[in-house]
Amino acid sequence: MASLLEAMSEKIVILPIHGIGGISKTTFARLIYNDPKFNCYSQVWVHVSQRFDSNKIYKSIILQLSGKEGLANECKMIHSRLKKLLCGKKILIVLDDLWEDNQFLLLELKDMLYHDDSNITILVTTRSELIAERICTNLQPHKILPLTNNMCWDLIKQRSGFKDRNDKEQLMGIGWEIAKKCGGVALAALSLGFTLRPMNFHEWMKVKDSDIWNEPVSKDLFLPNHVLASLMLSYSYMSPCLKPCFTYCATFPKGHNIVKDDLIYQWIALDFVKPTKLLSNMELCERYIVQLLGLSFFQQPVSPKTSEAYYKQATFFTMHDLVHDLAISLLGNNILDQSKQGPCEYWI
Ligand SMILES: Nc1ncnc2c1ncn2[C@@H]1O[C@H](COP(=O)(O)OP(=O)(O)OP(=O)(O)O)[C@@H](O)[C@H]1O
Ligand SMILES: [Mg+2]
């Protein structure tokens, strides 16, 4: 924050935040975004994601700065509208989850977000150190380091309700071993902590000694094995009815704001939910949502809500990209990706 504030007298400051998948880059960017020091700034949050589309980024910035959807689709029109909106302002822009490493495209993006008469501060989160170096200006990229094992253990304790348990002494050592397996990634600790909550001593042991830890589940260079392994473990302990409800969410695009009520009706329509004598469909769905939130498989969105009246009333969730990757990998060949398969009947 100190180095960012020091550099902010420049016309454009870009602070890249990089680190492995799930390490807390977005969380860190959000802390800066919500800091009172930026109260006098116009603020914009863009979820960039793997498919880089510069016009989509510019249109999202235009929408958030002006409150109006731009009708223009032509590049020139979009560019001139964006430049006009950037003029004479103090603006904080977060470009969350940038994957594009093409130097030419990154340069063009920087040029478009520069304005002679403005102070523009940009935070970029990315898993890649190379992209961080390519996009940065006068500030050194900030690398997010893993949490300590102690911090992971604290998260597990919080989520598993550890302090209220009678078997604390017995569980202490096993819990610590599980915390070490989280590799300093909060998401891994949070989901495992929640999974351990209803479990007894023997089940904690089973989690610790599970074969999943040794299986090569991650093919991504920026994503160590333990992160997906811990999510996979949490999935494996879900109730059989919750499993299809969760994997179904792979059909939404990454970063999508899922509308709670729509999702519940879709689960019921698809016959994923089986009412019992005690619980109706709706009550079961509410429980599933609580479970998915507890596991951190669902989160409250950060990006601005849509302006349509219906959606203003609605409750939204997003899925973390890693959780989305898990759902996709679980569906395997049962889901077709339009970008990989060409024209097809079903797509994500
Ligand atoms: N210090 C922390 N304490 C508790 N929860 C945390 C902490 N840091 C991050 N989290 C939680 O961990 C999850 C992953 O964090 P985040 O989304 O910031 O990771 P990321 O590095 O941006 O991941 P990706 O590489 O996929 O974009 C989120 O659910 C977040 O709320
Ligand atoms: Mg992120």
Side-chain angles (χ1 to χ4, degrees):
M1 197 66 184
S3 47
L4 187 61
L5 290 173
E6 208 171 291
M8 263 161 41
S9 52
E10 309 278 335
K11 294 199 184 324
I12 185 163
V13 183
I14 301 181
L15 174 63
I17 300 160
H18 68 99
I20 56 164
I23 198 76
S24 306
K25 300 176 293 292
T26 302
T27 307
F28 186 76
R30 199 181 311 162
L31 282 175
I32 300 179
Y33 188 79
N34 291 332
D35 193 286
K37 294 197 179 67
F38 287 101
N39 279 354
C40 59
Y41 277 63
S42 303
Q43 295 188 316
V44 173
W45 186 289
V46 185
H47 183 243
V48 184
S49 84
Q50 263 138 311
R51 285 179 211 171
F52 182 82
D53 176 346
S54 51
N55 275 345
K56 209 171 139 198
I57 297 174
Y58 304 146
K59 282 171 127 182
S60 172
I61 297 174
I62 292 171
L63 172 67
Q64 293 178 58
L65 287 178
S66 67
K68 285 185 223 135
E69 198 109 33
L71 291 174
N73 269 323
E74 239 185 85
C75 281
K76 265 191 183 165
M77 303 264 281
I78 296 173
H79 292 187
S80 79
R81 181 135 169 72
L82 178 64
K83 286 285 182 192
K84 266 187 210 154
L85 281 168
L86 293 180
C87 179
K89 290 199 184 91
K90 284 178 158 189
I91 306 178
L92 172 67
I93 300 174
V94 177
L95 300 177
D96 188 27
D97 206 22
L98 182 67
W99 289 71
E100 183 56 62
D101 61 2
N102 180 314
Q103 237 158 345
F104 172 74
L105 291 177
L106 294 179
L107 204 62
E108 187 195 78
L109 179 71
K110 274 202 238 185
D111 279 349
M112 274 309 299
L113 298 179
Y114 174 87
H115 200 290
D116 245 348
D117 298 322
S118 312
N119 281 108
I120 317 243
T121 304
I122 304 175
L123 309 177
V124 175
T125 78
T126 174
R127 289 186 191 173
S128 156
E129 190 166 359
L130 177 77
I131 296 173
E133 275 160 12
R134 286 190 173 164
I135 192 97
C136 78
T137 47
N138 31 6
L139 273 184
Q140 279 296 312
H142 180 79
K143 183 173 183 178
I144 303 270
L145 298 173
L147 300 180
T148 62
N149 293 336
N150 253 331
M151 288 169 170
C152 283
W153 179 215
D154 277 344
L155 290 177
I156 292 180
K157 282 198 276 194
Q158 278 171 29
R159 278 285 161 103
S160 62
F162 189 78
K163 79 172 169 29
D164 299 323
R165 295 186 66 128
N166 300 324
D167 49 359
K168 281 200 278 288
E169 294 283 300
Q170 251 187 322
L171 295 180
M172 193 71 106
I174 313 165
W176 173 251
E177 288 300 318
I178 295 174
K180 284 205 287 194
K181 290 178 190 281
C182 295
V185 175
L187 186 60
L190 293 169
S191 67
L192 275 178
F194 190 79
T195 300
L196 291 167
R197 200 179 179 92
M199 293 183 172
N200 62 26
F201 171 79
H202 298 288
E203 288 163 323
W204 277 52
M205 284 291 279
K206 261 175 95 179
V207 168
K208 175 177 86 67
D209 297 329
S210 167
D211 289 340
I212 294 184
W213 295 115
N214 305 318
E215 284 168 22
V217 276
S218 172
K219 295 182 194 99
D220 183 343
L221 202 68
F222 301 117
L223 185 61
N225 208 51
H226 50 254
V227 184
L228 269 191
S230 59
L231 298 179
M232 192 75 94
L233 248 169
S234 298
Y235 170 80
S236 70
Y237 284 102
M238 274 182 188
S239 71
C241 288
L242 180 54
K243 282 182 173 171
C245 292
F246 163 66
T247 47
Y248 170 71
C249 296
T251 56
F252 297 107
K254 273 188 176 166
H256 182 71
N257 282 339
I258 302 170
V259 180
K260 179 183 163 188
D261 288 345
D262 291 354
L263 178 65
I264 288 181
Y265 289 127
Q266 287 165 31
W267 281 345
I268 295 172
L270 289 162
D271 216 10
F272 292 153
V273 186
K274 311 279 177 226
T276 63
K277 276 184 190 152
L278 293 175
L279 293 170
S280 68
N281 271 339
M282 287 310 244
E283 285 164 335
L284 277 169
C285 287
E286 290 291 342
R287 283 192 177 203
Y288 293 165
I289 300 268
V290 170
Q291 289 267 317
L292 292 170
L293 283 168
L295 285 165
S296 288
F297 279 22
F298 276 180
Q299 301 180 332
Q300 313 292 342
V302 263
S303 45
K305 289 181 183 174
T306 163
S307 53
E308 280 176 54
Y310 166 69
Y311 291 112
K312 271 193 173 161
Q313 318 285 326
T315 304
F316 294 90
F317 306 115
T318 56
M319 280 168 89
H320 194 275
D321 282 359
L322 294 175
V323 176
H324 193 276
D325 289 340
L326 171 73
I328 294 267
S329 72
L330 290 165
L331 281 185
N333 294 332
N334 293 322
I335 192 155
L336 300 175
D337 185 340
Q338 194 187 26
S339 66
K340 293 183 187 138
Q341 310 275 335
C344 59
E345 274 180 60
Y346 308 99
W347 61 85
I348 56 168

